[in-house]
Each structure stands twice: as C-alpha cells, then as structure tokens.
Amino acid sequence: MTEVPDPYGRAALCDPSALSRVFEAAGCRTQSELAEFLGVRQSSISDAKKRGSVPADWLLTLLCKKWINPTWVLTGQGARMLQPSEHITPMPEKSAPIVVRCPPHACTTDELVQEVVRRAVRLIAQSEDG
C-alpha cells in the first residue's frame, strides 16, 4: 500500500532535521547568521525551531539563492540541489517583498513544493523582465 504524505503542518514539516538542513544549505552555523541569510529576525528562527516547522518563504529563499531542493529540505529525500536551466540567470541579490501566508491544512508537501517552485519561477521571470 502506498503511503500518502501528511498534510502541511504535520509530520512532513515537523521533521526535526528539516531545520538542520536549512542551516546546512544556507551555510550558517548560528541562528543570527541564518536570520541574516534569510532576511528575517532571529526570533523567527527560534519560533520555527519551537514549532518544528520550516516556513515556505524560507524554502523559496533557499531555492532562489542557492537552488536548494525544497523536498530535500523538508524530507531529506531527493537531490539536494535543483539544476537551473541554462537560459536562466541567477536571481539578483536584492530581495523582493514577501507576503507571508499560511497554506491550508489540506495542503500536501508535494503541493507546497510545487507552489514554492511556481513562485520561484515567477520571481526569476520578473527579474529578467525588469
């Protein structure tokens, strides 16, 4: 029988090693370093650690800055990095305003990753246009 992944906010994002993979992927050793890399307050790192979750915006930042695979961050499975297309230039270092929204509870990990990738592609296309 095939196991169905848990919805967003449950086991998939409660993997205690997911936050460790965020630190590893960002190349950060302290919460303050990670907060600076992600463009958030250090208290956000502490809150994520207490909740045992990784916010979707962090996955998007890792994808845009370092091509880190969101599925690898959340589950430890799959390739660590995604390969950018040859015709896509890297994202500029300037950060775009990010609207924080919580996904619905019925959202699966796959749906979350698809949304993160969709947003990343849109940001890349916008950066190429302007």
Side-chain angles (χ1 to χ4, degrees):
M1 184 169 150
T2 304
E3 189 172 303
V4 177
D6 287 331
Y8 175 87
R10 294 194 185 147
L13 295 182
C14 292
D15 177 359
S17 56
L19 191 57
S20 298
R21 286 188 289 275
V22 171
F23 274 93
E24 178 187 336
C28 299
R29 295 190 326 193
T30 66
Q31 288 185 7
S32 56
E33 287 176 353
L34 183 60
E36 184 176 335
F37 175 84
L38 294 171
V40 299
R41 290 181 283 213
Q42 184 177 348
S43 62
S44 298
I45 308 297
S46 298
D47 291 344
K49 187 175 181 180
K50 287 176 191 170
R51 286 190 316 271
S53 64
V54 176
D57 289 338
W58 296 7
L59 298 174
L60 181 58
T61 300
L62 286 169
L63 179 63
C64 289
K65 287 186 173 184
K66 294 201 170 201
W67 293 98
I68 300 296
N69 181 353
T71 300
W72 175 82
V73 174
L74 295 175
T75 67
Q77 298 176 0
R80 180 175 183 224
M81 296 183 70
L82 298 176
Q83 296 300 316
S85 174
E86 293 174 12
H87 65 277
I88 295 177
T89 57
M91 290 286 293
E93 281 300 314
K94 67 179 183 176
S95 60
I98 297 176
V99 177
V100 178
R101 292 183 217 147
C102 296
H105 291 289
C107 180
T108 66
T109 302
D110 288 339
E111 291 168 335
L112 176 63
V113 170
Q114 289 172 0
E115 178 63 17
V116 168
V117 171
R118 186 187 65 74
R119 289 182 188 186
V121 169
R122 186 177 65 219
L123 284 172
I124 290 167
Q126 287 173 351
S127 71
E128 290 176 346
D129 293 338

